[in-house]
Amino acid sequence: MNWHEENIRLTKELISKKSYSGKEKDVIDCLRNFFENSGFDEVIIDKYGSCIGGIVGKRDDGKNITTLFDGHVDTVVVNEEKWSFPPFVATEHNGRIYGRGSSDMKGALSSMAVATLKFAKETDKDFSGKIYVSGSVFEEVFEGVAPRSVSEIVNPDFVIIGEASELNLKIGQRGRAEIVVETFGVSAHSANPEKGVNAVLLMNDVIREIENIVPNEQEKLGKGILVLTDIISSPYPGSSVIPSSCRATYDRRLLVGETPESVLEPIQNVLSKLKEEKGIEAKVSLAEDSKLCYTGEEISSSRFFPGWLYDENEKLIQKAYNGLKNSGLDPEITNYSFCTNGSHYAGEKGILTIGFGPSHESLAHIDDEYVEIEQLKKAFDGYYEILREIYK
Ligand SMILES: [Zn+2]
């Protein structure tokens, strides 16, 4: 078997299956076929529709480590007119494969799946433990929510997130929360504004006060950002009416250890002060969202996805690092600057997690997204060598 060619073939096949969040069925069918026809021992589709393939080691020496590779299969939408190559064809050009999801992150998912298969074949499954690969759904909407069901099924000791890391080793990330602030006024005809209380003007006071909140900072993860991202009044559009309510959304980047309570508290304090001083009626909460999976199951969560960070001296992290070195890479040990499914595995469940993947994060979500074939090859070799070190 030419593993690199097989990896390129599978990457292209995954790209050719359009898979916007909640509409991943075609790409999941493709992944399931791959697992079933290539010799994976277990193939599971969970309630949200994520597809998990597993290889079971035959050796019984008590080590028994369960490793999980996680790669999301959903992508953000395309604006097809802006693309030079058709986004769901996987065109090869100048050493690159173009297509939606090539960098984020079907190339990584394919590399993890094919590397796991190679490891199973080369060792004849003579290792202690299990290796799972999950093609997870709905990551682009809810980081780390579909994985709640994956970790329930797989119960891993070690998780490898394949999000683009430029072949570096990631040991943490900031999390994120979406915070909703609402103000409540009194509606009136705009010909007689004095009869109402304008909720937008109340929000004006609230926003000024929230601007004074300075979130925490942590040495490795940086600043816990708090930034206003949208605002809307109600009714909207308002014709000849004083708005009775107003809603603003804040994006909050989370550091390790921050909780919904600790993040909402300083804002609640601002609102309590404004209520006391000016009688402003307002409330703060986490945004909630709910969507339908292609399986018919509802997926819902409040938008709070925790940050995480591990010590690079953890034994399995050192093994992964040595594996990457053995594959010929010289990875830097750093953190992701964006939010990943690690928010669940590491942030919520406390499972040792790293990130390692092909390509550059700046290539995600863009028109003419591509992955370099050279990066795919190196990521594939990296995943394979990580497994060799873990199960040595
Ligand atoms: Zn991604």
Side-chain angles (χ1 to χ4, degrees), residues 4 7-8 94-97 111 167 329 358-359 371-381:
H4 286 305
N7 186 21
I8 290 168
N94 278 344
R96 299 167 169 178
I97 300 170
S111 303
L167 305 171
L329 294 172
S359 208
V371 64
E372 291 170 18
I373 289 173
E374 203 51 35
Q375 289 269 316
L376 273 187
K377 287 183 175 164
K378 288 178 176 167
F380 171 85
D381 290 340

Side-chain angles (χ1 to χ4, degrees), residues 72 104-105 139-140 163:
H72 65 82
D104 186 19
M105 54 177 288
E139 190 272 351
E140 295 292 356
E163 294 274 10

Side-chain angles (χ1 to χ4, degrees), residues 77-292:
V77 298
V78 296
N79 184 351
E80 203 146 354
E81 294 130 54
K82 298 228 168 138
W83 282 63
S84 324
F85 300 92
F88 305 105
V89 171
T91 311
E92 207 175 308
H93 179 73
N94 278 344
R96 299 167 169 178
I97 300 170
Y98 283 85
R100 175 56 89 224
S102 51
S103 264
D104 186 19
M105 54 177 288
K106 293 174 173 178
L109 178 60
S110 167
S111 303
M112 296 188 289
V114 180
T116 298
L117 190 63
K118 178 183 177 189
F119 182 75
K121 296 260 152 101
E122 308 258 297
T123 59
D124 194 23
K125 301 185 190 170
D126 181 19
F127 67 94
S128 172
K130 294 179 179 180
I131 305 165
Y132 289 100
V133 179
S134 175
S136 306
V137 297
F138 252 125
E139 190 272 351
E140 295 292 356
V141 181
F142 298 103
E143 297 96 326
V145 178
R148 287 174 186 165
S149 142
V150 177
S151 71
E152 207 51 37
I153 293 167
V154 168
N155 196 19
D157 302 301
F158 189 45
V159 177
I160 300 161
I161 301 283
E163 294 274 10
S165 75
E166 280 194 79
L167 305 171
N168 290 310
L169 180 59
K170 304 292 183 181
I171 55 171
Q173 60 157 91
R174 288 189 301 195
R176 87 184 169 89
E178 258 175 64
I179 298 173
V180 176
V181 177
E182 291 164 281
T183 54
F184 305 99
V186 177
S187 180
H189 195 286
S190 51
N192 309 296
E194 70 285 352
K195 294 205 168 134
V197 177
N198 192 318
V200 174
L201 297 180
L202 302 181
M203 185 61 86
N204 193 24
D205 284 353
V206 170
I207 287 170
R208 279 172 202 280
E209 285 291 327
I210 290 178
E211 282 297 303
N212 296 326
I213 297 174
V214 182
N216 287 347
E217 207 169 323
Q218 281 172 358
E219 196 195 323
K220 290 200 170 143
L221 291 181
K223 289 182 176 168
I225 308 289
L226 175 65
V227 64
L228 178 66
T229 52
D230 68 33
I231 181 161
I232 189 161
S233 54
S234 176
Y236 181 89
S239 49
S240 303
V241 64
I242 299 297
S244 58
S245 68
C246 181
R247 174 189 160 112
T249 311
Y250 283 84
D251 183 298
R252 176 75 159 76
R253 296 289 146 164
L254 304 170
L255 306 178
V256 174
E258 293 194 300
T259 62
E261 296 73 31
S262 73
V263 160
L264 294 180
E265 189 186 76
I267 299 173
Q268 184 54 55
N269 290 344
V270 161
L271 300 185
S272 302
K273 184 180 132 203
L274 287 170
K275 164 91 177 160
E276 201 173 302
E277 289 174 358
K278 299 185 173 180
I280 291 177
E281 295 290 344
K283 88 173 203 202
V284 61
S285 59
L286 289 173
E288 300 275 339
D289 202 2
S290 173
K291 297 261 189 291
L292 212 55

